[in-house]
Amino acid sequence: MGLSPMAARAACGCSSAALAFFGSRPLRRAGRRPAAAFAWGQSSPYGGCRSRLAHSLVDSVLDELRSRRRVRVSAKIGLQGTKELSDNKIDKRALQKGLLLEFQKDSQRSLLAVVERPDGKKNWMVTDQNGILSSIKPQQVTYVVPGVMNFDASRIDEFLEKAQDLLDPTVLECAWMELSEKDKSIMVEEFAEIVYGNKESLESYCAHFLLSRDIVYFVKVESRDCSMYQPRSPPQVEELLRRKRAKEEAEKELEEFVHLVKSAKALPMESKPPKSSWLLDEKVRQKIEALQAYAVDACDDEQRRLAGNILKAMGFTRTSSAALKLLINVGYFPAHVNLDLFKYDVRTMYTEEVLSAAEELLVGRPDSDMHIRKDLSTLKVYAIDVDEADELDDALSAIRLPDGRIKVWIHVADPTCMIKPRGIIDREAMHRGTSIFLPTATFPMFPERLAMNVMSLQQGKQCKSVSVSVTLHPDGSIAEYTLENSVIKPTYMLTYESATELLYMSLEEEEELRILQEASSICAQWRRSQGSIDTAMIEPRIKVSNPDDPEPNINLYVEDQANPAMQLVSEMMVLCGEAVAAFGADNNLPLPYRGHPQCNTAVSAFSHLPDGPARSFANISVLRAAEMDFQKPVPHGILGIPGYVQFTSPIRRYVDLLAHYQVKAFLRGDSPPYSAGDLEGMTFIASMHVKVARRLHSNSLRYWLLEYLRRQPKGRKYKALILKFVKDRMAVLLLVEVDQHSPYDKFYLVV
């Protein structure tokens, strides 16, 4: 096509891209869909044109076009003009066989098609550019190409190929710069006349295509007779170009990220990039964290959009499971990732500020209670806990008094000699609520260097503690008690299994351990006489080695609460809590008192069940909710005692730490740091995190138990104890199995 004089004059001020557009260029093969046949150019306002279109030219063209009552070439065969056919007011009479039109296929695509025949009263059958015959409604027609009759559908490709050579969006900017100054609207045919020098079929279609797809320079406005295109204001264009550039940059970043993900996904497992490498670049980190949030259903709207785009670009469905699988496949997550840690936003790391404060305590930690500490280092002290315990915060001593009564000491680690109420470390502990113990990891309430070293009781070393001494009546009730700051020197660090062996051996030199067992026995008898309920169960414990491996080692243990050493320790912890509650009541001290109302169901209601897990499970199933009071003790019906305060785990439970703050202040003669109202609010905050920790522990334990069972041979049979029938053929079972790799004979799983 030669360059018309009008087009030549119009092109004189445009960019090189626009100049090339106005000239004659060889045809190049185009795709089937013109909407995807070219990339819209990126330019800043006014950047694509170096000067204005000739003012007189545009005015004269517009005046000339609008002064005529033009009838399109198609009028020769009795059709309406383009104006009437292209303003979305198409009706049955406007369409005829052989017309070339554009219609909206769906929200994403517009296609060219040739009209074939009527389809019912309103619809028409058309053959589109892909050779597909379909029925369309008149409302779907977006443009009727003028000057075309009896068009052959097989020539649509040729038509699109020619159109492709004329579609250059840079001319939109040139036209906009001239028209925006006088705020002049323009019709498709007028735009074609200005840009191409004529308004024939091909040129008019190209003008329609450019204007209808433009999202920057022109906006479509409806008039009474036809559709017009209004130039946007310069501020609008500038903002739209800014958004366009931002979108293009985001698309480029997404493309680069998808390429990075595909490369990592293709690598063997041992060669995949470490998790830390995904967090170095801010833009990469943003996208990988969006996928992470999407995988745990904890994303905001922007993360959901971004993760959805990534999954779509990767060819995956937009689901949380697809995001999780992708993160595992690229090595960001291990195969057995614990998503609950991310879902509940668990604090697994400490800030630099907290770690720095902890290091300061390690350097210099003056003990304000040293002058009132009692030296109990001559006592034989037993610290008994699970074998993998890292935080040792309680230990036991006992003697027999000359009158035959038993006196026991419950020694509790004293972290409050290092940390102060409302300090940075205390606030961090409150917002954690508790240490979290999982089969794969431990997340301590205090920084590890404090919790597992200087705060913990250590064998053979002088350790600061708070010692609760209790003298028992022969029936197991409390005769007298004292609470005091102390210094102890733990003699033994025993596991429950080794302590049980010592009890069975009944060594003469370990008389104190036998006295402790006797004390626990008479205490248990006393509580039963006061209506306590047996809730002892057999629980599994799991330790997973190398949890990041695809097939980690799963070690299964049993925690039988009927174990003699475990019963001993449990009774002494209850005794300590009872004594602290009595201390608080006697001294009118605000403490987090914990109680439990008696069950409405009598204990005898389950006497027909065999003693053990079945009866304990039945007892637990009818328990009522616990109660808290912060001014006075409340009865604890399950334990069978008049009051109870959790006190023995201040390193791993924040509520215990609160009790220590209050008691320690009283022992120094100071006012308690917290009122009853303060304690209630802080306990509520800590309890929320404790609930999350319990859910984490329960979910993780169940996951690894099921993973253990998954690895067992198919068809293997299991012995089980029925604990409860739920409905129909459903029941709660306690699995009992022999574990050849465990030092214990059995393990148990409630399913």
Side-chain angles (χ1 to χ4, degrees), residues 312-362:
K312 181 180 178 181
M314 290 292 297
F316 295 158
T317 57
R318 298 183 184 183
T319 61
S320 57
S321 58
L324 173 61
K325 183 178 180 181
L326 179 59
L327 290 170
I328 292 174
N329 287 340
V330 301
Y332 183 78
F333 277 161
H336 299 282
V337 60
N338 189 341
L339 289 181
D340 283 346
L341 294 175
F342 305 99
K343 181 177 181 179
Y344 298 116
D345 196 21
V346 176
R347 299 187 184 206
T348 60
M349 306 291 288
Y350 286 91
T351 65
E352 288 298 326
E353 186 181 14
V354 172
L355 293 175
S356 177
E359 290 300 318
E360 290 178 6
L361 291 178
L362 291 171

Side-chain angles (χ1 to χ4, degrees), residues 15-275:
S15 63
S16 57
L19 287 171
F21 165 76
F22 280 111
S24 298
R25 293 179 293 173
L27 296 178
R28 58 183 182 275
R29 182 66 180 170
R32 282 189 175 272
R33 294 173 186 156
F38 62 86
W40 292 84
Q42 178 177 338
S43 60
S44 60
Y46 328 130
C49 296
R50 298 291 181 261
S51 64
R52 297 287 189 267
L53 291 174
H55 169 68
S56 59
L57 167 65
V58 175
D59 282 347
S60 62
V61 170
L62 292 177
D63 291 342
E64 178 184 358
L65 290 173
R66 289 171 177 169
S67 66
R68 301 174 184 173
R69 292 186 57 85
R70 297 176 306 277
V71 179
R72 301 196 175 278
V73 176
S74 56
K76 295 179 181 179
I77 58 171
L79 298 182
Q80 291 178 302
T82 303
K83 178 171 67 176
E84 289 79 12
L85 292 175
S86 60
D87 65 354
N88 290 330
K89 297 181 177 66
I90 309 298
D91 59 23
K92 178 78 172 180
R93 293 166 298 178
L95 298 180
Q96 292 186 21
K97 176 179 173 59
L99 283 181
L100 180 63
L101 55 78
E102 180 188 77
F103 73 97
Q104 191 78 30
K105 177 69 173 177
D106 51 42
S107 60
Q108 301 294 326
R109 293 179 299 162
S110 291
L111 302 178
L112 278 182
V114 174
V115 178
E116 298 292 349
R117 63 181 182 275
D119 181 31
K121 293 183 178 181
K122 295 183 179 181
N123 297 353
W124 282 83
M125 298 300 295
V126 299
T127 301
D128 66 29
Q129 63 192 57
N130 297 315
I132 297 175
L133 183 67
S134 57
S135 176
I136 65 170
K137 299 177 181 179
Q139 298 93 312
Q140 290 178 259
V141 178
T142 55
Y143 186 70
V144 176
V145 180
V148 175
M149 58 179 292
N150 298 323
F151 197 84
D152 185 351
S154 64
R155 295 178 55 205
I156 296 180
D157 268 353
E158 179 185 351
F159 185 88
L160 289 175
E161 189 174 303
K162 293 178 179 179
Q164 169 63 26
D165 204 45
L166 298 179
L167 293 174
D168 188 338
T170 59
V171 300
L172 288 164
E173 183 179 358
C174 299
W176 170 80
M177 291 185 66
E178 177 63 29
L179 295 170
S180 64
E181 286 192 350
K182 295 190 176 182
D183 196 25
K184 290 185 177 182
S185 299
I186 193 168
M187 292 188 298
V188 170
E189 58 188 13
E190 296 170 339
F191 189 84
E193 188 75 44
I194 292 173
V195 174
Y196 301 110
N198 68 73
K199 50 187 177 62
E200 298 300 324
S201 304
L202 182 63
E203 288 74 18
S204 292
Y205 171 72
C206 290
H208 157 75
F209 189 94
L210 290 172
L211 288 170
S212 63
R213 272 71 169 178
D214 174 45
I215 59 172
V216 176
Y217 299 104
F218 293 89
V219 60
K220 189 175 183 180
V221 294
E222 298 292 340
S223 68
R224 185 180 62 180
D225 300 323
C226 61
S227 296
M228 307 284 288
Y229 286 89
Q230 175 78 28
R232 299 181 192 270
S233 67
Q236 287 178 318
V237 170
E238 187 171 358
E239 173 60 20
L240 289 170
L241 283 172
R242 184 193 65 78
R243 293 181 186 179
K244 182 181 175 184
R245 287 193 297 271
K247 181 181 179 182
E248 290 170 347
E249 180 63 26
E251 290 172 349
K252 180 182 178 182
E253 291 175 6
L254 177 62
E255 183 180 352
E256 292 173 349
F257 180 78
V258 168
H259 176 74
L260 184 66
V261 168
K262 288 181 177 179
S263 298
K265 186 172 178 287
L267 293 172
M269 186 60 65
E270 63 276 7
S271 302
K272 294 187 184 296
K275 180 177 181 178

Side-chain angles (χ1 to χ4, degrees), residues 299-313:
C299 54
D300 56 34
D301 291 343
E302 176 59 25
Q303 288 177 321
R304 182 177 292 104
R305 183 196 63 78
L306 182 55
N309 289 341
I310 294 170
L311 292 172
K312 181 180 178 181

